[in-house]
Amino acid sequence: MTAEDGRLPKNLYERLVRPLLFSLDAEAAHHFTIASLHRASQFDPALRALKRFTPPPKPKTLFGLTFPNPIGLAAGLDKNGVALPAWAALGFGFIEIGTVTAMAQPGNPKPRIFRLPEQKGLINRLGFNNDGADAIAARLRGLRESGRWPAVPIGINIGKSRTTPLERATDDYLYSFRLLRDFADYITVNVSSPNTPGLRELQESAALSRLLHAIHSEPGQVAKPVVVKISPDLSPVELEAVLAACEENGAAGIIATNTTLDHSSLPPELDKQGGLSGGPLREKSTALVRRIAANSKIPVIASGGVCDAESAREKFNAGAHLLQLYTGFVYRGPSLLREIMDKL
């Protein structure tokens, strides 16, 4: 296979590009990749080259939006929304940026990303490092005015600023929502990152209901779909309460799941503090997708352990409507999208 059909020789990314990136510190490699895609986003010849990876369209409609294909970019890879044209050119059917917080923040101390190559996993404890809602809104406004806005749905993932106390969390989310909603096709409410102290307490039924009710009560000309990103570590009782809060407060969808604090599958010598993603999360994430689909009519966007066509099919068979990639994309590169789409 050649690059012309979207698959570099078997597989150039895994044989050449990934070893070069993995020779760098994990966060340095991340910044290098995002900076490269940011530059590519500004040049039409570079975007045309990236479009070689785009899979044939297989449109999917969900909560009033049409997705060119059901494979999206998960939040976390492009926290600050600097490379939207490049992600679209690579073939993602939708792009979710963030997590964005009301205030700019540096995140947790480094090192804070750790690779697990044997498990095809990552551990991160980034802590919502981002430029803040004001700066990101200005950046997105500039992109729209430039004429380079991508022709795929854009999600914006919002979270609580670290220094904001839980009792003021709703106001914090609303600040970001008001600034960013005009640039989003849907908004994701992130209440499940394990790397911001206390954040997961917002998954508790009363707190989540207050937050969703406040967002849905915001005046605006066009209502935006609001989805909720949940933890894979919820108990069945906790999940039932989350689903009830989402149903009662008009959530358009659920992203299942965020990273896990369950590191029991890892050898002790590899363990680090933080959220675990990738291969070790696959089974747990799929089980949660299956439980949601069996107990609710709310559409599910599956995220967690999608690293090949088989794991993607597993998520759809469990009841997912859309998928998101993060760790699988780090390990497999852009040809993963076409591999999944070719075999669905």
Side-chain angles (χ1 to χ4, degrees):
M1 296 294 182
T2 67
E4 280 66 31
D5 72 351
R7 288 164 287 196
L8 294 173
K10 249 308 181 188
N11 179 319
L12 184 60
Y13 175 84
E14 293 178 58
R15 291 194 296 110
L16 179 60
V17 178
R18 188 178 72 191
L20 290 173
L21 291 174
F22 278 32
S23 71
L24 304 173
D25 166 79
E27 190 162 354
H30 177 88
H31 287 311
F32 174 80
T33 300
I34 295 300
S36 299
L37 292 172
H38 172 62
R39 288 190 292 270
S41 293
Q42 302 172 56
F43 297 101
D44 290 339
L47 293 175
R48 285 195 294 270
L50 292 179
K51 285 180 180 178
R52 293 173 173 177
F53 294 100
T54 303
K58 292 184 180 179
K60 174 81 175 183
T61 300
L62 190 66
F63 37 78
L65 301 174
T66 299
F67 301 82
N69 68 65
I71 313 300
L73 180 77
L77 269 170
D78 192 352
K79 290 177 177 291
N80 294 307
V82 302
L84 272 66
W87 297 118
L90 284 168
F92 283 100
F94 62 107
I95 303 160
E96 187 169 315
I97 68 167
T99 296
V100 182
T101 54
M103 294 175 281
Q105 53 188 41
N108 293 320
K110 300 178 182 180
R112 52 194 183 176
I113 307 178
F114 307 92
R115 302 184 186 103
L116 304 167
E118 290 297 319
Q119 292 78 17
K120 291 186 172 59
L122 294 173
I123 296 174
N124 94 79
R125 51 173 184 254
L126 287 162
F128 289 171
N129 54 308
N130 74 104
D131 293 341
D134 289 272
I136 292 171
R139 178 176 298 123
L140 296 177
R141 184 174 296 107
L143 177 63
R144 178 171 284 170
E145 292 171 353
S146 75
R148 292 182 176 274
W149 194 265
V152 301
I154 303 299
I156 302 182
N157 183 305
I158 58 175
K160 185 186 79 68
S161 304
R162 186 183 185 95
T163 57
T164 299
L166 282 175
E167 60 268 22
R168 289 172 47 206
T170 295
D171 290 337
D172 194 84
Y173 280 90
L174 286 175
Y175 184 88
S176 299
F177 177 78
R178 290 163 183 159
L179 281 171
L180 297 166
R181 61 181 168 185
D182 288 344
F183 304 104
D185 293 293
Y186 70 90
I187 293 283
T188 295
V189 176
N190 188 346
V191 289
S192 53
S193 170
N195 299 316
T196 294
L199 185 76
R200 288 187 169 187
E201 292 180 35
L202 296 175
Q203 291 179 119
E204 188 271 329
S205 180
L208 182 57
S209 290
R210 283 194 299 271
L211 177 56
L212 292 176
H213 177 76
I215 290 174
H216 279 291
S217 298
E218 276 291 293
Q221 291 184 344
V222 180
K224 295 294 171 74
V226 174
V227 306
V228 179
K229 188 165 187 175
I230 65 172
S231 164
D233 302 324
L234 293 169
S235 70
V237 171
E238 290 169 332
L239 177 62
E240 182 179 356
V242 166
L243 292 176
C246 289
E247 290 169 351
E248 292 166 7
N249 292 280
I254 292 176
I255 298 179
T257 63
N258 215 313
T259 57
T260 180
L261 288 174
D262 178 4
H263 295 191
S264 58
S265 63
L266 299 181
E269 64 273 15
L270 296 180
D271 199 9
K272 303 284 185 182
Q273 181 181 357
L276 175 63
S277 63
L281 178 57
R282 172 179 170 178
E283 185 175 329
K284 193 167 193 175
S285 173
T286 301
L288 201 66
V289 171
R290 188 174 290 112
R291 286 203 299 273
I292 295 168
N295 292 284
S296 174
K297 294 182 179 180
I298 296 179
V300 182
I301 302 173
S303 180
V306 181
C307 58
D308 53 24
E310 179 185 355
S311 52
R313 189 182 299 110
E314 176 182 282
K315 293 288 194 286
F316 284 122
N317 289 342
H321 293 72
L322 302 172
L323 303 182
Q324 289 182 326
L325 305 180
Y326 185 134
T327 304
F329 186 79
V330 170
Y331 281 95
R332 298 291 314 282
S335 63
L336 176 59
L337 281 84
R338 184 177 287 255
E339 176 189 322
I340 292 172
M341 293 307 302
D342 283 351
K343 296 183 180 179
L344 285 183

